[in-house]
Amino acid sequence: MKYFLLMPVLLITAAAAAQKPLPVIHAGSAEAVIVEGDEDRYNWHITPAAKPDVHTTTKITAPKWIRFYTDRDSIRVKLKPGAAFDFIVLLNGKDSCYTRLESPPLQHYANMPVTRDTIPFELTAWNNIKIKAVINGKDTIYLKFDSGATGLLLTNDILQRKIQTPDILHNRLQIGNLSWDSLHVYEVVLSGQGTDGRFGWDLFDGKIVEIDYDRHIFVVHSRMPAIGKGYTKLPIEYTHYSICVQGTLEVQRKKYTSRFLFDNGYQRTIMLDTTIMREQQYPQDLEIIRKVVMKNGQGEEIPVITVNNEKLMLGALPLYNIPVQLMATANPARFKTHILGNEVLKRFNTLLDFQHHVIYLKPNSLQDLPYIEAKKSS
């Protein structure tokens, strides 16, 4: 394995490459793997026609090791936020693929004028945060805020029936007084009931998002507002372009600490990851409350059973007797994590601080609502 420590921001162009030889690694197959940090893996296809062939990492807040593996060779580099590293993959001894590993620059609005945009939302019966929006200055649509997603995703039905945008790469989205230009629209089969699509957390990167379920308002701040007592602070882990936190499940007097995808786009409580359950030896003999078939955003059916988990700890915040979902298939998140959904998250007024990379939670008036699939008392 070849090792490189990248200190300054490094952007090597083809002209610069002619002056200074780039590192070269070898491959006999076009299939490769990129690993960010300790274990977050991404499959990669080597493409000599791309100049350069770019992999952009998930958001990183401190230097992180990035590894690139082929079937014959490997290279490793430590990237800072906003940095890049160029090298060549020589495929089958003849095709040179100019490859770049780059990390996005950190976004930060704290030094800009103070702004505070307040947007009303409806918390639907299906636990969706439903918000009115306008696309391309003319079409009113209703979107779900989905902290488990990125970008702008619209259903194929709304695209064909109403919007018919001629260019999926350049679209303008307006929510309240906020607007985004040149957004790529990604097409999906399904969204939350009563919505035409969803938008992800990265539209607010570098800002603070406040979700007040008591007052049904969604507030976007350029600076962290003053908050009172009663909040629990959870560090954000950025992985696979998603935001995760640590939590602990407790059942049968045992504790199981793991990563949870912070996903208020998931309508139920907690979807448990089968790989983590197997590694941690989570009990397999819990009483089954319900069996259902759910659908993901692409319309794919996922068999799910529901069992009772005795306790969840998010920092210092406990929740008891949560009906959790177990899948018979691989995790729809496509990486190793439990999924923490909005039937749990709606019980906490929330601040997503994308400047200091933490989440604040405070119990609200929905704290004691019964769960939809709660075990019935005998």
Side-chain angles (χ1 to χ4, degrees), residues 136-306:
N136 296 329
K138 59 179 181 178
D139 294 305
T140 298
I141 56 177
Y142 289 90
L143 300 176
K144 174 175 72 171
F145 174 62
D146 185 350
S147 62
T150 56
L152 174 62
L153 304 95
L154 299 180
T155 64
N156 49 23
D157 175 67
I158 196 68
L159 285 171
Q160 296 169 10
R161 177 172 53 84
K162 184 175 181 181
I163 296 175
Q164 298 179 337
T165 177
D167 184 356
I168 64 170
L169 296 176
H170 300 93
N171 294 274
R172 186 172 191 271
L173 177 68
Q174 183 172 352
I175 300 175
N177 294 321
L178 300 171
S179 63
W180 298 262
D181 292 313
S182 298
L183 279 182
H184 185 147
V185 171
Y186 295 90
E187 186 174 338
V188 292
V189 176
L190 299 174
S191 185
Q193 294 88 338
T195 67
D196 303 308
R198 55 191 186 271
F199 60 99
W201 69 269
D202 61 323
L203 269 61
F204 309 99
D205 195 12
K207 297 185 178 181
I208 293 92
V209 175
E210 179 182 358
I211 308 173
D212 189 326
Y213 292 96
D214 290 322
R215 296 186 291 166
H216 288 198
I217 57 172
F218 186 96
V219 189
V220 181
H221 303 266
S222 62
R223 297 184 192 177
M224 185 68 190
I227 59 174
K229 296 180 179 180
Y231 282 91
T232 286
K233 182 178 177 181
L234 302 175
I236 293 175
E237 176 190 357
Y238 298 99
T239 179
H240 287 80
Y241 313 103
S242 301
I243 56 175
C244 297
V245 297
Q246 289 286 307
T248 300
L249 298 165
E250 296 186 27
V251 64
Q252 296 180 352
R253 299 183 180 180
K254 292 186 178 180
K255 298 181 179 181
Y256 304 89
T257 299
S258 188
R259 169 200 285 169
F260 287 76
L261 176 65
F262 195 93
D263 186 5
N264 55 30
Y266 176 51
Q267 299 169 330
R268 291 302 175 89
T269 54
I270 302 170
M271 181 76 79
L272 296 186
D273 183 280
T274 51
T275 301
I276 296 175
M277 291 171 60
R278 183 174 60 252
E279 291 177 351
Q280 296 186 335
Q281 299 182 341
Y282 186 88
Q284 300 294 310
D285 58 349
L286 300 179
E287 179 185 355
I288 296 174
I289 299 173
R290 190 180 181 189
K291 295 182 178 181
V292 298
V293 175
M294 303 178 70
K295 291 186 177 182
N296 62 17
Q298 299 304 321
E300 300 166 335
E301 293 187 345
I302 304 173
V304 176
I305 64 173
T306 301

Side-chain angles (χ1 to χ4, degrees), residues 122-137:
E122 175 190 351
L123 181 63
T124 72
W126 295 276
N127 298 315
N128 299 320
I129 298 174
K130 180 179 175 181
I131 292 177
K132 183 179 179 180
V134 176
I135 190 163
N136 296 329

